[in-house]
Amino acid sequence: MSLDGPSKPPNKTTKDAFFRETLARLPDAKPTSDGWHAARCPAHDDENPSLSVKQAADGNVLLKCHAGCEPTAVLVALGLATVHDYRDADGKLYGQVVKQKANGYKAFTVRRPDGNGGWVWNWSGVTRTLYRLPALLTADPTRGVLVVEGEKDADTLAALGFVVTTNPHGAEKWADAYSETLRNRRVIVVPDHDAAGERHVGQIARSLQGIAREVRIVRLPRLEDGEDVSDWLEKREGSAEELKTLARQAPLYAPSEPAPVEPAEEPAVIELEEGYEVSVPILESATTFTFMHVKESYRFGQRILDAAVTVAHERQGVARQPYTGHVGLLSHSGKLDLSKDLSDWFGGDWQEWKPAVTRACVLVANAKTAYDLAQSEHLVDMSAPPADEEMPVRWTFYPLVQKGAINLSFGKKNTLKSYNALRISIYVALGLDFTGAKADEGRHVLYVDAENVGELAVKRCVARLLAGIGKTWADLGGRLHVKPLGYQKLPAHLPALRRLTKRFQPALIVIDSGGYAAGDPDLNAPASAASVYDVLKALGPACDTSLVNLHEKREGKHQAPFGSVFWENGARLVWNLQADEDDSDRKQVGFFCRYVNYGRKPTPFSLIWTFDGDRGPVTVKKTGDVSAFAHEISLTTRLHEALADGTARTNTELATLLDAPLDTVTTKLSQGVGRYFATAGKQGRKTLYKQWREGDAAPDDDEPPAY
């Protein structure tokens, strides 16, 4: 097993120190051949030495227990690693944080159960929660909740009887979704004593505004730079009673200035022949970072990006000799060491350098990842089938929005496409299902408005829809976010959308409409659809579910989205909206599924929209009656409904009843046996058909969920 921590400049010796510390904790270790050492494994009752230890040429430590002990278990037994469990609200383990630390060496990795007793060394696809979540949820809600920085501090305070939590991944990684867990709770934030801790506590406090009952910040006395609450208890004579006193005396948090609405645009990354270049402002001067020979590897299940780095910086108008070294782009301590090296080289506090170093490394790592995805020969793992729970179709809002897919809704003018998209957005933000019943907790939604120049149009519609279901603006809980595009097209907003989806982790992103948002003005060009869909795909796991509104072609009998066929082909679920004649206060809109990539095609239905004047509530009622749009209903559906009364009929009787061609009716009936229709004997020489019922024959697809 290879254990490799953060990448260091050449003069660092942390890997050597870690190897020496490993051997020091194995007193019976004896050298064998080829640089290996044999020792008794501390993770099990080992009579004969079964643990092999070696330092590889690159400094990494190799561990192998021949009795089968997991390397992490060996490290924990040696006191060189700790493992922290993350569990969901039901107490189910969904991930672990593994921390290694010895003699200046630090490495932090995450893993999740693979379902077969092993581990996958990432948290891809995992919904992250606060640490010690089950204990937090079952604690007395009137007790204060301490928020600290790091799992070790949380465990330390929990052992003293405090209700305590932290967020995964350390400082400045607080997500607004975590704040919802602390709604109406009294929160006391205890930051680490450093610049990152101060930024972190500000991020948490701002996120909790309007959510927590109160927020207080406790800055512990007597701490030195870089120390935390565990150090305070161990080294600075701190105690549980003193911490309680400090928490009671801490003033209520009041932000000195509003949080920034929108971060500045990211600096551009320039791709070089063998690397990348990016300029980041620091100390009132532009600093150019050049990363060459960026190499990817995996150590201890962790992705590593190593690079040679050159940094050019002018200080007070004087250019110094550029700094050269190495850095791990994804390594927290690697970026920290580079910040300190640049501080020594150019001057200035290392804490002022760290944000610029982090920003440059993240930008280049993202550019490298995007390039590799475009160039790599990545293959889907086909060694095993999907898990049983991954097979059914998942829905964000049944039956209009499939989860993990691009969904398309199109219709002519006055089919209420925008109202429908806003209704879906509101219901998802409120946690309601299609009928308006409570289905789950409200989730964040990002609504991209490409049609309106001002902001009032959307707000008016939202206000009327909320009034129609008896909800208030406060019920949304700040979970509906509207992003106006103004006069720019969607691709120009990709950096901002990346930041917004990372901040809110929305369950749904709506583009209204795709035609106005498209980067290519020629909607008939394939690039037009691609300019919208590629942006949605580029957002990645931060938001994998979207709904795009589009206008309908004006001519022809076949209803299709206006523009290139790629609009329809690129979506996984396509709905067509058809409306009855205009009415000042009432409109019926029919919904017809034109295409579904996976799963059974949903049944047509209609919504009746009632408008109370120009400013009053808008109410919506669902009905299965789509007779007003009979020309839109497929023949199979009409046949299915004609047999709903249980009467068996021949193909001739059905063709007459529906005024449809006999040959077409006969074909549809024969194709639908076992799925929509069942045979019911003979009438003379003609086959009798009835509607398929449970027990008649197994259908091809699972029935969709009721709504």
Side-chain angles (χ1 to χ4, degrees):
M1 181 70 193
S2 172
L3 296 177
D4 187 21
S7 178
K8 303 284 184 181
N11 62 336
K12 302 298 182 182
T13 59
T14 53
K15 294 179 183 177
D16 294 337
F18 187 80
F19 177 65
R20 290 194 300 271
E21 183 66 23
T22 302
L23 290 182
R25 301 193 185 198
L26 295 168
D28 63 333
K30 296 179 180 179
T32 57
S33 60
D34 299 329
W36 286 94
H37 290 70
R40 285 182 295 177
C41 176
H44 74 279
D45 189 9
D46 197 1
E47 295 293 336
N48 298 312
S50 60
L51 180 66
S52 295
V53 186
K54 180 181 180 180
Q55 186 175 23
D58 61 359
N60 298 332
V61 178
L62 306 177
L63 282 177
K64 174 66 177 179
C65 176
H66 298 279
C69 292
E70 181 191 27
T72 300
V74 177
L75 288 174
V76 172
L78 287 172
L80 295 174
T82 56
V83 178
H84 305 275
D85 293 343
Y86 274 79
R87 300 180 181 274
D88 62 20
D90 297 323
K92 181 181 178 181
L93 179 71
Y94 70 79
Q96 290 182 333
V97 173
V98 181
K99 297 186 175 182
Q100 306 161 47
K101 183 177 181 180
N103 289 346
Y105 177 99
K106 291 182 181 180
F108 305 93
T109 54
V110 295
R111 64 183 186 178
R112 55 187 169 90
D114 65 1
N116 297 311
W119 300 95
V120 178
W121 288 88
N122 61 55
W123 276 7
S124 177
V126 169
T127 300
R128 294 158 175 76
T129 66
L130 290 175
Y131 186 53
R132 303 181 60 84
L133 180 63
L136 174 61
L137 296 177
T138 57
D140 183 349
T142 64
R143 292 187 62 188
V145 179
L146 273 68
V147 179
V148 295
E149 183 183 328
E151 294 84 4
K152 179 191 72 172
D153 290 347
D155 291 340
T156 298
L157 293 182
L160 296 176
F162 290 96
V163 180
V164 61
T165 188
T166 189
N167 59 281
H169 310 307
E172 302 180 77
K173 299 297 189 296
W174 186 270
D176 288 337
Y178 303 148
S179 298
E180 285 297 324
T181 308
L182 300 175
R183 181 171 288 278
N184 297 324
R185 303 294 289 265
R186 294 188 300 109
V187 179
I188 303 96
V189 189
V190 185
D192 287 2
H193 191 59
D194 54 25
E198 285 301 312
R199 291 192 297 271
H200 184 54
V201 72
Q203 183 185 55
I204 295 173
R206 287 192 298 270
S207 178
L208 287 169
Q209 285 295 290
I211 296 178
R213 183 188 305 174
E214 63 180 44
V215 179
R216 301 176 188 267
I217 299 175
V218 173
R219 293 180 173 86
L220 300 171
R222 307 184 295 278
L223 283 181
E224 296 185 1
D225 287 347
E227 291 185 335
D228 54 31
V229 66
S230 296
D231 297 316
W232 183 72
L233 292 167
E234 295 171 9
K235 304 176 184 178
R236 309 301 170 200
E237 300 180 352
S239 67
E241 289 305 315
E242 183 181 3
L243 181 55
K244 291 177 183 177
T245 300
L246 291 170
R248 286 192 292 268
Q249 295 175 348
L252 290 173
Y253 170 77
S256 57
E257 60 183 25
V261 176
E262 188 66 44
E265 292 294 321
E266 297 287 12
V269 178
I270 301 173
E271 186 176 324
L272 307 176
E273 185 174 351
E274 295 185 6
Y276 302 88
E277 181 179 287
V278 59
S279 294
V280 179
I282 175 66
L283 299 175
E284 300 181 357
S285 176
T287 301
T288 301
F289 293 79
T290 304
F291 300 87
M292 302 299 292
H293 311 294
V294 183
K295 295 182 179 179
E296 181 183 56
S297 60
Y298 286 84
R299 301 165 190 159
F300 195 45
Q302 182 77 10
R303 182 177 181 237
I304 305 295
L305 285 179
D306 288 321
V309 60
T310 300
V311 182
H313 174 70
E314 288 187 6
R315 187 162 179 79
Q316 295 179 344
V318 179
R320 290 200 55 186
Q321 183 73 17
Y323 167 90
T324 58
H326 288 78
V327 67
L329 297 173
L330 305 180
S331 162
H332 172 74
S333 55
K335 294 192 282 281
L336 178 62
D337 286 332
L338 178 58
S339 302
K340 293 179 178 180
D341 286 349
L342 294 176
S343 173
D344 294 340
W345 191 267
F346 295 112
D349 193 304
W350 69 267
Q351 294 178 343
E352 294 180 292
W353 279 98
K354 187 182 176 185
V357 169
T358 300
R359 197 176 187 189
C361 289
V362 169
L363 288 170
V364 172
N366 289 342
K368 168 69 174 171
T369 301
Y371 175 84
D372 288 348
L373 287 174
Q375 301 294 324
S376 70
E377 297 179 359
H378 170 74
L379 298 175
V380 176
D381 181 9
M382 299 299 291
S383 61
D388 290 343
E389 62 271 16
E390 295 176 322
M391 289 301 294
V393 178
R394 296 178 300 162
W395 296 88
T396 295
F397 191 73
Y398 183 82
L400 295 175
V401 181
Q402 280 193 7
K403 180 175 174 56
I406 295 175
N407 302 266
L408 180 66
S409 171
F410 73 94
K412 295 179 180 178
K413 184 180 180 181
N414 294 327
T415 52
L416 304 182
K417 297 183 295 299
S418 294
Y419 261 108
N420 181 63
L422 284 170
R423 176 178 180 266
I424 293 172
S425 301
I426 291 170
Y427 275 42
V428 173
L430 293 172
L432 307 180
D433 65 12
F434 194 94
T435 65
K438 189 68 173 175
D440 52 37
E441 293 300 318
R443 294 162 290 172
H444 288 270
V445 177
L446 180 58
Y447 189 95
V448 178
D449 180 15
E451 290 194 337
N452 299 294
V453 177
E455 300 178 359
L456 276 178
V458 171
K459 296 182 73 171
R460 287 167 178 156
C461 294
V462 170
R464 300 185 71 181
L465 287 166
L466 285 171
I469 56 175
K471 300 292 184 180
T472 66
W473 210 268
D475 292 324
L476 287 174
R479 292 182 294 273
L480 177 57
H481 314 278
V482 178
K483 167 67 176 171
L485 291 191
Y487 296 101
Q488 290 183 310
K489 299 301 183 182
L490 189 66
H493 289 264
L494 178 56
L497 290 173
R498 278 185 168 138
R499 292 192 295 272
L500 290 170
T501 52
K502 182 179 180 181
R503 185 191 308 171
F504 299 119
Q505 298 181 339
L508 173 65
I509 180 169
V510 177
I511 308 295
D512 186 22
S513 69
Y516 285 112
D520 192 322
D522 181 7
L523 297 186
N524 290 304
S528 179
S531 68
V532 174
Y533 290 166
D534 287 350
V535 167
L536 295 173
K537 293 173 183 176
L539 298 178
C543 183
D544 62 358
T545 305
S546 56
L547 172 65
V548 179
N549 269 352
L550 207 65
H551 293 283
E552 183 180 312
K553 285 184 177 178
R554 296 179 180 176
E555 68 281 347
K557 295 181 179 180
H558 174 65
Q559 282 72 32
F562 184 85
S564 167
V565 295
F566 288 96
W567 285 107
E568 194 166 6
N569 294 346
R572 305 296 76 158
L573 178 66
V574 180
W575 283 93
N576 176 221
L577 278 60
Q578 298 288 328
D580 61 6
E581 295 299 324
D582 286 350
D583 190 294
S584 59
D585 58 5
R586 182 185 182 279
K587 181 181 286 290
Q588 183 174 2
V589 179
F591 288 72
F592 304 91
C593 183
R594 296 301 184 196
Y595 169 74
V596 60
N597 179 259
Y598 186 72
R600 195 169 189 175
K601 183 181 289 188
T603 304
F605 64 92
S606 68
L607 296 179
I608 298 176
W609 299 74
T610 303
F611 296 80
D612 184 2
D614 295 331
R615 301 175 58 184
V618 176
T619 57
V620 184
K621 179 181 178 182
K622 176 187 173 292
T623 173
D625 179 18
V626 288
S627 57
F629 314 97
H631 59 286
E632 298 298 331
I633 306 174
S634 70
L635 180 57
T636 300
T637 300
R638 294 169 63 198
L639 287 166
H640 194 260
E641 293 176 350
L643 296 170
D645 62 0
T647 304
R649 293 183 171 89
T650 66
N651 58 345
T652 303
E653 291 172 334
L654 288 166
T656 303
L657 180 65
L658 299 178
D659 191 22
L662 178 60
D663 291 345
T664 305
V665 169
T666 303
T667 300
K668 293 293 183 182
L669 289 169
S670 61
Q671 291 175 344
V673 169
R675 184 176 184 182
Y676 302 108
F677 315 113
T679 56
K682 296 280 188 178
Q683 181 175 298
R685 296 168 60 179
K686 289 185 174 290
T687 301
L688 286 168
Y689 294 91
K690 65 177 183 178
Q691 193 182 79
W692 181 87
R693 292 285 190 272
E694 189 71 39
D696 290 333
D700 294 344
D701 297 310
D702 292 332
E703 288 290 337
Y707 65 92

